[in-house]
Amino acid sequence: MPSGCRCLHLVCLLCILGAPVKPARGNDCSSLCDLAHGCCAPDGSCRCDPGWEGLHCERCVRMPGCQHGACHQPWQCICHPGWAGKFCDKDEHICTTQSPCRNGGQCVYDGGGEYHCVCPPGFHGRDCERKAGPCEQAGSPCRNGGQCQDDQGFALNFTCRCLAGFVGARCEVNVDDCLMRPCANGATCLDGINRFSCLCPEGFTGRFCTINLDDCASRPCQRGARCRDRVHDFDCLCPSGYGGKTCELVLPILSPAATVDSPPGPTLAVLVPATGPIPHSVGAGLLRISVKEVVRRQEAGLGEPSLVAVVVFGAVTAALVLSTVLLTLRAWRRGFCPPGPCCYPAPHYAPARQDQECQVSMLPAGFPLLPDLPPEPGKTTAL
């Protein structure tokens, strides 16, 4: 028995028994939804399968991009009359309705919505839109990939649209990207096509050579010394008793005798004062430089500037001492007078009488002296 008859008999039976009958709802999901293309949701709405749409899942979904077409199954594009192509976007009557050919070109239909234009002399292009202008007459004048522009042939002269990195009327000049000096720290700039590269010196890296390489990364310092990074170099702050570039040297401990011979201190030159007559040879014993002190301070990590300053100071001190010695010797040879009541140059020295006052000669050395004359009464003779 058909289902409709069964339902009708059931309704009649309920009416006979006197049971109230509920009318069928018009929005029943199972009766309205196309169950072949979807299903009923718990809320009573239709949930469509992929490729179907609509309130009751009654419409198929066309191919994306289909303009003038329909579908019988999902993702189809069946063109309407007068349209062709994969997306039904090509007019089959294009040459009869409105010709796309310009500048007097003749449209020829090729079928399937395709056409071509027969252009008059002096014009070309798909729709005869271009004219044989300055670009064609010059024969592709733009260089280095530049694009020639002449307003589709209608301009009087052509212009070149250059790629990045080139300038000039015909894009013939390569822009020097190193003009702004982008590389730092004395790096060499290498120009390229719309780019540059930096050849970094030792100790630097990065695109612009601005990153100083950490020379302490390999931990070159020994004995637990602290490393101080420099430009392509490093310094080790050695602990006490060690020296060298990486603190690999063990410094000797000075004995008491060595300490007496060369006392510690920044002074490398020791001045010995003269207490008696200075001999003619003053090179031995006047100035004594401790070589051990220089070696010890160099091994202990004394910097080069400090060592140079100490050596210069010692040289200046030696020069001053030598000048003082030479001046003293010169004065001694000219006749430095011993302590006494009277003082004369050596060749004219004569002992003074005990009862006579010292007479000072104001004459220069070598001037002839007058013979001794008896002094007149009441007068004093001054030589």
Side-chain angles (χ1 to χ4, degrees):
M1 180 182 295
S3 59
C5 296
R6 288 198 302 268
C7 292
L8 182 60
H9 292 166
L10 180 61
V11 171
C12 294
L13 182 61
L14 291 175
C15 291
I16 295 172
L17 296 176
V21 178
K22 292 183 179 180
R25 293 185 304 173
N27 58 352
D28 189 5
C29 175
S30 59
S31 61
L32 299 178
C33 185
D34 190 350
L35 298 180
H37 305 146
C39 62
C40 293
D43 58 353
S45 61
C46 290
R47 182 175 298 175
C48 301
D49 295 337
W52 296 90
E53 61 183 359
L55 183 61
H56 305 294
C57 305
E58 72 279 4
R59 294 193 310 269
C60 60
V61 179
R62 297 183 301 173
M63 177 191 299
C66 184
Q67 296 184 12
H68 302 281
C71 65
H72 298 299
Q73 293 295 329
W75 322 121
Q76 289 181 344
C77 187
I78 303 173
C79 296
H80 299 312
W83 296 94
K86 181 178 180 179
F87 301 99
C88 302
D89 56 344
K90 299 182 183 300
D91 189 2
E92 292 182 347
H93 307 288
I94 188 169
C95 289
T96 58
T97 56
Q98 184 178 358
S99 177
C101 301
R102 301 165 56 183
N103 299 312
Q106 182 181 359
C107 181
V108 178
Y109 184 69
D110 298 331
E114 298 294 337
Y115 71 94
H116 71 275
C117 295
V118 180
C119 301
F123 295 90
H124 63 280
R126 174 176 172 80
D127 298 330
C128 303
E129 75 279 3
R130 295 187 62 86
K131 181 182 178 182
C135 286
E136 293 188 6
Q137 295 174 4
S140 301
C142 302
R143 301 170 56 185
N144 297 312
Q147 182 181 3
C148 185
Q149 296 177 338
D150 58 359
D151 193 16
Q152 297 184 353
F154 292 92
L156 298 178
N157 297 314
F158 68 87
T159 57
C160 290
R161 184 178 180 181
C162 304
L163 295 178
F166 296 95
V167 294
R170 301 194 177 189
C171 307
E172 72 278 6
V173 180
N174 179 21
V175 178
D176 188 2
D177 299 288
C178 293
L179 288 177
M180 301 302 295
R181 297 181 180 179
C183 303
N185 296 310
T188 302
C189 182
L190 302 178
D191 180 40
I193 299 177
N194 195 30
R195 66 183 59 195
F196 66 90
S197 59
C198 295
L199 186 60
C200 302
E202 293 183 345
F204 292 96
T205 187
R207 173 170 171 78
F208 304 100
C209 302
T210 54
I211 302 175
N212 179 21
L213 293 176
D214 188 7
D215 298 287
C216 294
S218 60
R219 298 181 179 180
C221 300
Q222 305 178 19
R223 318 290 184 181
R226 186 168 65 90
C227 182
R228 183 174 58 186
D229 181 41
R230 298 177 61 185
V231 178
H232 193 51
D233 196 5
F234 64 91
D235 289 334
C236 292
L237 304 180
C238 303
S240 179
Y242 300 97
K245 180 64 177 177
T246 59
C247 305
E248 74 280 4
L249 300 178
V250 179
L251 300 180
I253 300 177
L254 299 179
S255 61
T259 306
V260 173
D261 291 342
S262 55
T267 305
L268 298 180
V270 180
L271 180 62
V272 180
T275 56
I278 301 176
H280 295 284
S281 178
V282 296
L286 180 63
L287 184 66
R288 183 173 60 185
I289 299 178
S290 176
V291 180
K292 294 182 178 180
E293 183 71 14
V294 176
V295 174
R296 187 183 69 82
R297 290 189 173 273
Q298 187 173 7
E299 291 180 351
L302 186 62
E304 182 178 353
S306 302
L307 184 60
V308 171
V310 171
V311 173
V312 171
F313 177 75
V316 171
T317 305
L320 292 176
V321 172
L322 186 60
S323 301
T324 304
V325 171
L326 293 177
L327 293 176
T328 305
L329 285 175
R330 184 177 179 183
W332 184 274
R333 289 182 177 179
R334 287 187 176 181
F336 189 82
C337 296
C342 296
C343 182
Y344 293 95
H348 305 288
Y349 172 76
R353 292 190 295 267
Q354 297 293 332
D355 57 348
Q356 187 178 6
E357 296 180 358
C358 290
Q359 298 177 353
V360 180
S361 175
M362 303 300 293
L363 298 178
F367 191 81
L369 299 177
L370 297 178
D372 294 338
L373 296 178
E376 295 182 4
K379 295 183 177 181
T380 304
T381 302
L383 298 179

